Amino acid sequence: MSLMRQSNQPGAIAHLLALLILLTSTGLTMSIGLGGRDSTHTMENVAVACAQETWLRWHDGDALSLYVTSNSEIRRIRKPPMLVWLDMAVWADQVPEHAEPSKLLLRARMVTLFLALLVVASIYWSANTLRGFRFAILSGLIAATTLLLQRQGRTASYDIHMAAWTALAAAGLLHAIRPGRTDQTRVRTWLGWSACFVGLLFASYSKNPLPVALNVIPGIGAILLHHRHRFVNTARLALVSGLALAGVGIWYWWVFRTFPETAAALQHEVTQPRGDDAQPFYYYLGLIGLVAPWCVWLVSGVVHPFTSLRRDVVGDPESARIHHVARWLPLLWFGAIFLLFSIPEAKQQRYILPIIPAAALLIASVWFDHERMSRRGEKDRAIMPFAYAHWGGLCVASVAITLLLGWPEWTADMLMRITDEEEPPVYAGAGIVPAVLVGLVLLLLALTGLVVHRQWKPFRAGIICGIWSMMALGANWFGYSGAESGIHPLRAPTEELRVELADAPIYELRTPDMEERLGLINEEFRFYLGRLIKRLPMSEIEDEVAGGDVFYLLVRPDRVSADELTALGLSPIREVRTDKRRKMMLWSSAGQEPPSL
């Protein structure tokens, strides 16, 4: 029996089958070209460089590094170590000194891919709690095929880690409270609150304690909309939140006790002026585009709770209260997070990732209610202009994908003329024939979806849209992963330098007038070098040279004269590019054969 004809409350086998299909197709799509691009995103660079440096320090005998990560020899107390622990776990079979950075990056991205699947599974769980099986399928599919989740799920940064565990916490919370329902059991309650606690604790250890506040939003919404046990559920929510805060608070307490100087450093990092990431209050209105291809339905979903009351009829076999809660809870959840993240000046697309569960539930509510109407023989004719706009947009996107994959140079040239910026092509060509075939299949799916939607079969139309999106995103990642823009200019020369330095240690010169955080060495350079670059004060150079071991020293221009370094027994080698716009001078201990690049 097809999933579309299944009962809305089937057995465990149907759920497992649906989840297996959903997660497998999502995982396969997101894994296309996963390791094809170099580390070019700022926070991915920071995350993998910190994880790698901590890994190297731990293997070098620094036991404390396992609990407090570091970035360019500075303790990184702003971020708890959960991301680093997971990355180190998947790197466990590698030898740190000889591990290939590209392999480490791929494995770190595999961790985030798994966490993106956790987001999808958590949304499926939340949706099933709220409105059952078909709503869970729609919500999970919508979340899995949004551009924002797929893009961030392929980037090894902190945000997807925090968002995944936060989504799990929310799913557990809703399972425990079961808003609008009367079928709570002791097992469901304990399972739900346990999952909520684990999710909150892991989320807080992934980035910061903010997930505790984010989880309160759906928690309070569910408690207010639920008609039973409000006091008990509030007390349980407070208890679980408090335990999670205590769990991560222990780490902060230990850090401040072990490294007293870090308290001032943390305050500096939190209160420092915002630069390039300062954005206007309305910045996150761009979220409408980030949920592509479901953009039209996000707008519809925001309005939907206000217009849906008239669609509930007397005698509906499912509780009207359940549907009332399931419509309003995502809206309250979505609105609160949107407002909360819009207030600070610092805004990035990745920051808003925790809104995905609420957005998916909000969009799915529209499709699910239309499916319920179709089963009663009713039709919402007012929504058809939105449907035409949606499927028309997918037809246009199908043609655009064909051009991007089949004629990448032509499309890149057109984009350069429009933007007046010279950038390498964002997509690699797949060949004209494969591109045309992919485009025709996408166009056929879009037209089929339009026909099915006109026949007023919303559930089937939603599934077709999900299939179209999965295929379109797969084609997108194929072209994007192999593009010239994904080649980092520092990678090749830095990896060559790493080979030629052999096993000799390399240091960074720090003069007395340099502040601790002044001029940190670029994360990409450190990551692709794959070596610990320890700081060496001027006062210790002479002793290091006297030791007789070969070593290298990176020196910033104008920090110290060449005569001083030569007098200490060092020989200049060459300039080394450590950033896209910065070079440092490489010196070696006396008598060392200089590497040639």
Side-chain angles (χ1 to χ4, degrees):
M1 186 179 295
S2 70
L3 292 178
M4 288 174 283
R5 296 183 179 276
Q6 287 277 3
S7 164
N8 201 32
Q9 295 295 337
I13 294 178
H15 281 295
L16 290 175
L17 179 60
L19 261 178
L20 179 63
I21 295 172
L22 178 61
L23 297 181
T24 300
S25 58
T26 305
L28 290 174
T29 300
M30 293 181 64
S31 65
I32 295 174
L34 187 62
R37 294 179 68 88
D38 294 338
S39 181
T40 56
H41 296 285
T42 300
M43 281 313 298
E44 181 176 62
N45 296 335
V46 174
V48 295
C50 288
Q52 182 196 49
E53 180 177 323
T54 303
W55 186 47
L56 289 167
R57 288 171 65 98
W58 185 59
H59 278 271
D60 197 42
D62 183 1
L64 291 181
S65 64
L66 188 62
Y67 309 104
V68 183
T69 63
S70 62
N71 182 21
S72 194
E73 292 289 295
I74 297 177
R75 298 289 181 182
R76 188 168 170 76
I77 51 93
R78 188 177 181 180
K79 297 288 190 295
M82 189 70 185
L83 176 146
V84 172
W85 290 345
L86 292 178
D87 285 351
M88 288 174 63
V90 297
W91 296 344
D93 64 325
Q94 300 294 299
V95 179
E97 295 79 10
H98 304 290
E100 297 179 15
S102 58
K103 183 179 291 186
L104 301 182
L105 179 61
L106 174 60
R107 293 193 180 188
R109 287 174 176 172
M110 289 173 65
V111 171
T112 57
L113 190 154
F114 170 80
L115 291 171
L117 297 182
L118 178 60
V119 174
V120 174
S122 298
I123 292 172
Y124 182 98
W125 187 12
S126 297
N128 183 63
T129 299
L130 290 175
R131 301 182 93 173
F133 182 57
R134 291 191 299 275
F135 186 58
I137 292 175
L138 286 171
S139 300
L141 185 61
I142 289 168
T145 55
T146 55
L147 177 61
L148 177 61
L149 180 62
Q150 289 232 356
R151 182 180 179 184
Q152 294 301 321
R154 292 167 52 90
T155 306
S157 70
Y158 294 93
D159 301 277
I160 184 64
H161 284 251
M162 186 186 81
W165 298 117
T166 304
L168 175 63
L173 178 148
L174 294 177
H175 187 78
I177 297 177
R178 305 188 70 75
R181 296 182 176 274
T182 59
D183 57 348
Q184 290 96 337
T185 65
R186 183 170 297 180
V187 172
R188 285 171 173 169
T189 300
W190 277 100
L191 175 63
W193 288 117
S194 297
C196 181
F197 170 72
V198 170
L200 285 181
L201 186 64
F202 286 9
S204 299
Y205 267 93
S206 295
K207 191 174 182 181
N208 53 46
L210 178 62
V212 176
L214 296 179
N215 192 64
V216 168
I217 295 172
I220 293 298
I223 290 169
L224 291 177
L225 292 171
H226 190 43
H227 64 292
R228 303 177 68 201
H229 310 304
R230 287 194 173 106
F231 176 79
V232 173
N233 285 324
T234 301
R236 288 170 175 168
L237 175 61
L239 176 62
V240 169
S241 301
L243 290 174
L245 283 175
V248 73
I250 291 173
W251 181 82
Y252 282 105
W253 171 82
W254 178 83
V255 168
F256 292 150
R257 186 172 180 270
T258 308
F259 308 99
E261 71 280 2
T262 57
L266 178 63
Q267 182 180 7
H268 170 77
E269 289 192 2
V270 173
T271 59
Q272 62 183 320
R274 295 299 179 182
D276 295 337
D277 57 352
Q279 300 291 349
F281 181 82
Y282 55 81
Y283 174 79
Y284 284 125
L285 288 177
L287 179 66
I288 296 174
L290 294 176
V291 297
W294 307 92
C295 312
V296 171
W297 305 103
L298 179 61
V299 178
S300 178
V302 172
V303 180
H304 182 67
F306 299 95
T307 62
S308 58
L309 291 177
R310 59 184 175 82
R311 300 192 181 106
D312 285 326
V313 296
V314 178
D316 192 308
E318 299 174 276
S319 169
R321 179 180 291 276
I322 291 176
H323 298 298
H324 174 76
V325 170
R327 294 185 192 113
W328 283 99
L329 177 60
L331 180 61
L332 297 175
W333 190 357
F334 180 91
I337 291 183
F338 188 90
L339 179 62
L340 179 65
F341 279 74
S342 295
I343 293 173
E345 287 186 355
K347 299 180 183 70
Q348 295 282 352
Q349 292 178 4
R350 54 188 169 82
Y351 294 169
I352 200 70
L353 195 56
I355 207 172
I356 283 292
L361 295 173
L362 204 60
I363 295 168
S365 286
V366 180
W367 291 80
F368 184 76
D369 278 339
H370 288 164
E371 172 66 13
R372 292 176 63 236
M373 293 178 67
S374 71
R375 288 171 176 265
R376 297 197 301 261
E378 302 174 3
K379 187 174 183 178
D380 185 1
R381 299 186 182 279
I383 204 66
M384 289 313 297
F386 287 90
Y388 289 129
H390 170 75
W391 295 108
L394 297 195
C395 290
V396 173
S398 301
V399 175
I401 290 172
T402 304
L403 294 176
L404 287 169
L405 293 179
W407 294 268
E409 292 81 8
W410 179 80
T411 52
D413 182 64
M414 292 295 294
L415 289 174
M416 282 192 291
R417 292 181 182 181
I418 295 173
T419 62
D420 199 27
E421 295 181 2
E422 292 190 9
E423 295 289 343
V426 179
Y427 286 88
I432 295 177
V433 174
V436 171
L437 290 176
V438 169
L440 287 176
V441 173
L442 289 173
L443 188 60
L444 179 62
L445 283 171
L447 293 174
T448 302
L450 175 60
V451 172
V452 172
H453 215 149
R454 286 188 62 188
Q455 294 174 348
W456 200 237
K457 298 175 181 177
F459 187 86
R460 295 186 181 186
I463 298 297
I464 293 172
C465 180
I467 296 173
W468 181 96
S469 182
M470 204 73 78
M471 186 174 179
L473 286 168
N476 174 72
W477 302 137
F478 176 82
Y480 181 69
S481 62
E484 182 183 345
S485 60
I487 301 175
H488 200 292
L490 287 180
R491 176 181 174 179
T494 304
E495 288 187 337
E496 186 177 347
L497 175 63
R498 173 190 178 184
V499 171
E500 299 200 29
L501 292 181
D503 294 327
I506 182 169
Y507 300 97
E508 172 200 1
L509 176 66
R510 303 296 290 192
T511 54
D513 61 323
M514 294 177 66
E515 296 181 6
E516 183 183 46
R517 298 174 182 277
L518 176 64
L520 297 182
I521 297 179
N522 180 275
E523 288 87 6
E524 299 100 297
F525 176 80
R526 289 187 283 114
F527 176 69
Y528 284 114
L529 188 64
R531 305 285 291 279
L532 274 179
I533 306 178
K534 296 183 179 180
R535 297 183 169 194
L536 186 66
M538 279 286 296
S539 58
E540 298 179 12
I541 292 179
E542 189 172 0
D543 293 338
E544 194 71 25
V545 172
D549 294 329
V550 175
F551 70 91
Y552 294 89
L553 185 67
L554 288 169
V555 182
R556 286 177 174 77
D558 304 326
R559 283 294 167 185
V560 63
S561 69
D563 291 341
E564 289 182 79
L565 295 176
T566 302
L568 291 172
L570 297 179
S571 303
I573 297 180
R574 66 183 298 275
E575 283 189 324
V576 173
R577 186 174 295 278
T578 59
D579 200 340
K580 294 178 180 179
R581 295 175 296 274
R582 180 184 302 167
K583 293 182 179 180
M584 297 178 71
M585 192 68 188
L586 183 67
W587 293 71
S588 71
S589 55
Q592 167 65 16
E593 184 71 20
S596 58
L597 295 183

